[in-house]
Amino acid sequence: MSRPLYADINLQALQHNYHLAQQCAPNAKAIAIVKADAYGHGAVQVAQALVNDAPAFGVATIEEALTLREASIQTPILLLEGFFESSEIELLHEHQLWCSLHSEWQLQMLEACDQEGNLTLWLKVDSGMHRLGFCPDDALAQVIERLKGLKAVGQLGLMTHFARADEADNPYTSRQIELMKALAAQYQLPLCIANSPATMQFPEAQGDWVRPGIMLYGASPLPTGHPVGDQLQTVMTLRSKLISVRELPAGEPIGYGGRFVTPQTPTRIGVVAAGYGDGYPRHAVDGTPVLVNGQRVPLAGRVSMDMLTVDLSDQPNAQPGDDVVLWGEGLDINEVAAACDTISYTLMTGLLPRVPRRYR
Ligand SMILES: *Cc1c(COP(=O)(O)O)cnc(C)c1O
């Protein structure tokens, strides 16, 4: 028998979540974001599961796009940050890749190697994130004119990214939305602005295209209790087993640094096959929830590279071989993330290649 740790990936739940995103934005088309190996779920498998539904996929690098092309995915693929050097421009034409354009240097590279083509370009506007994008001032008109003058360009659209769309009532997001709507009307261009939280809670942000990521993978980016968030289904469950159970007397330190010490009474300690060498966060605190046989037990002691330890005081019958869930079905990844002072995104994308993904 091999090591029992694996990521159990439910592709039906993924499809359900994609359809939910479509229902949230019935007048928009939904680009399925599959960057970072589909948030750790496996980009090829995820794209294959959505290929009949999604009109486009979104990735961060051309390598990610070409991996999908090698797997015979023919759907348009949007490069969310566009190209990084001019040698990629030819590949955009060759592989029918859509390209975000965020900077003057990219525009100059396009102008320098303008060839007859039909590129779909999404002009990124900095509407308030202050990370990437052109300023929404008068100079934008010139950028659009220059793009329209290129032989390489077919379709043009406007995109932006929200800084605070996970907050329910923030005027900052409203301002970003209003600005982009005004630009779309002024230049008569299609609009693509909403990430998952905006797709879920700001119908006015949906425009012509939306870009859901995390919601496809079943983790709500909103505070719990949201009607859409509550309908999301878990896609990834990180499963393992107990590989040792022992009783230790009172006052014994467990693991590196002795961070956890058994209390006044003898304590049953279980060892789980999962560690930071798999992507389980080392900074998880004592008390971080872990499911053993479907019941919550607290993490006890520092996470090691290949193992972690739990306090089984409430599970007197637990045995080696018993089932463990680190996050997923029965244990919301958002809760584990909160205990680790992070977000679901880093747990999912941080799952390392050593962990087998099994699809159902
Ligand atoms: C990652 C990303 C998204 C998806 O964001 P989620 O919060 O996961 O929905 C959308 N747009 C851009 C530009 C991104 O980089």
Side-chain angles (χ1 to χ4, degrees):
M1 194 191 97
S2 61
R3 190 163 179 255
L5 178 69
Y6 70 101
D8 178 7
I9 312 263
N10 181 343
L11 294 172
Q12 263 177 340
L14 173 84
Q15 289 164 340
H16 164 91
N17 296 335
Y18 183 82
H19 294 144
L20 195 61
Q22 280 180 319
Q23 284 163 28
C24 288
N27 300 317
K29 293 184 197 160
I31 303 176
I33 303 299
V34 298
K35 61 186 173 181
D37 202 25
Y39 293 45
H41 293 66
V44 168
Q45 288 84 353
V46 163
Q48 282 167 344
L50 297 178
V51 78
N52 293 325
D53 296 304
F57 294 107
V59 299
T61 72
I62 198 149
E63 288 78 9
E64 292 178 320
L66 296 182
T67 299
L68 296 183
R69 288 287 179 259
E70 279 156 25
S72 302
I73 304 283
Q74 310 291 337
T75 313
I77 302 173
L78 167 63
L79 301 180
L80 291 161
E81 286 142 52
F83 53 86
F84 297 87
E85 50 178 47
S86 60
S87 62
E88 295 171 51
I89 295 174
E90 215 175 298
L91 295 170
L92 303 180
H93 289 284
E94 191 182 328
H95 294 280
Q96 209 207 343
L97 304 178
W98 296 358
C99 183
S100 151
L101 196 89
H102 57 74
S103 290
E104 171 66 24
W105 63 262
Q106 288 179 319
L107 180 50
Q108 285 173 8
M109 280 182 185
L110 265 185
E111 289 172 332
C113 49
D114 191 26
Q115 65 183 79
E116 200 70 48
N118 193 26
L119 289 182
T120 296
L121 286 186
W122 289 96
L123 186 59
K124 189 152 186 179
V125 176
D126 178 11
S127 63
M129 180 76 160
H130 298 327
R131 201 175 55 180
L132 290 180
F134 291 90
C135 289
D137 57 16
D138 296 343
L140 195 63
Q142 286 159 32
V143 170
I144 291 171
E145 279 317 303
R146 283 163 69 193
L147 283 170
K148 283 184 172 166
L150 293 179
K151 295 197 294 286
V153 180
Q155 271 299 120
L156 209 55
L158 291 177
M159 66 184 277
T160 200
H161 199 53
F162 292 117
R164 313 181 64 163
D166 52 330
E167 299 169 30
D169 264 322
N170 198 306
Y172 202 77
T173 304
S174 319
R175 279 205 296 278
Q176 285 189 278
I177 295 171
E178 277 157 33
L179 174 71
M180 293 308 296
K181 294 230 134 156
L183 292 176
Q186 181 181 350
Y187 296 111
Q188 290 293 301
L189 291 173
L191 200 55
C192 174
I193 56 179
N195 54 3
S196 295
T199 301
M200 290 168 70
Q201 67 174 356
F202 299 121
E204 67 275 24
Q206 287 161 359
D208 305 286
W209 294 82
V210 293
R211 301 191 304 269
I214 195 75
M215 74 178 292
L216 304 181
Y217 307 102
S220 177
L222 306 176
T224 49
H226 187 275
V228 177
D230 292 348
Q231 290 176 65
L232 293 172
Q233 293 179 4
T234 297
V235 178
M236 177 196 287
T237 301
L238 186 57
R239 299 187 188 279
S240 189
K241 290 186 186 293
L242 292 178
I243 58 171
S244 163
V245 175
R246 53 204 303 228
E247 192 162 295
L248 287 159
E252 291 295 327
I254 309 295
Y256 289 118
R259 183 178 76 181
F260 179 84
V261 178
T262 55
Q264 306 306 326
T265 47
T267 304
R268 283 165 67 78
I269 294 291
V271 181
V272 179
Y276 65 80
D278 305 297
Y280 191 93
R282 181 178 176 276
H283 54 278
V285 295
D286 286 343
T288 299
V290 174
L291 288 190
V292 173
N293 295 319
Q295 287 182 342
R296 300 160 76 96
V297 298
L299 181 81
R302 260 188 210 155
V303 173
S304 317
M305 190 183 294
D306 313 307
M307 286 174 269
L308 56 81
T309 39
V310 292
D311 180 347
L312 293 173
S313 295
D314 294 335
Q315 290 227 25
N317 298 318
Q319 296 294 328
D322 284 1
D323 289 332
V324 173
V325 168
L326 285 316
W327 63 67
E329 280 170 17
L331 182 58
D332 187 352
I333 190 169
N334 280 322
E335 197 185 336
V336 179
C340 301
D341 193 22
T342 186
I343 53 177
S344 62
Y345 299 67
T346 68
L347 296 185
M348 288 178 183
T349 59
L351 197 65
L352 294 168
R354 168 164 104 172
V355 181
R357 275 67 164 170
R358 292 194 200 152
Y359 296 90
R360 53 166 155 129

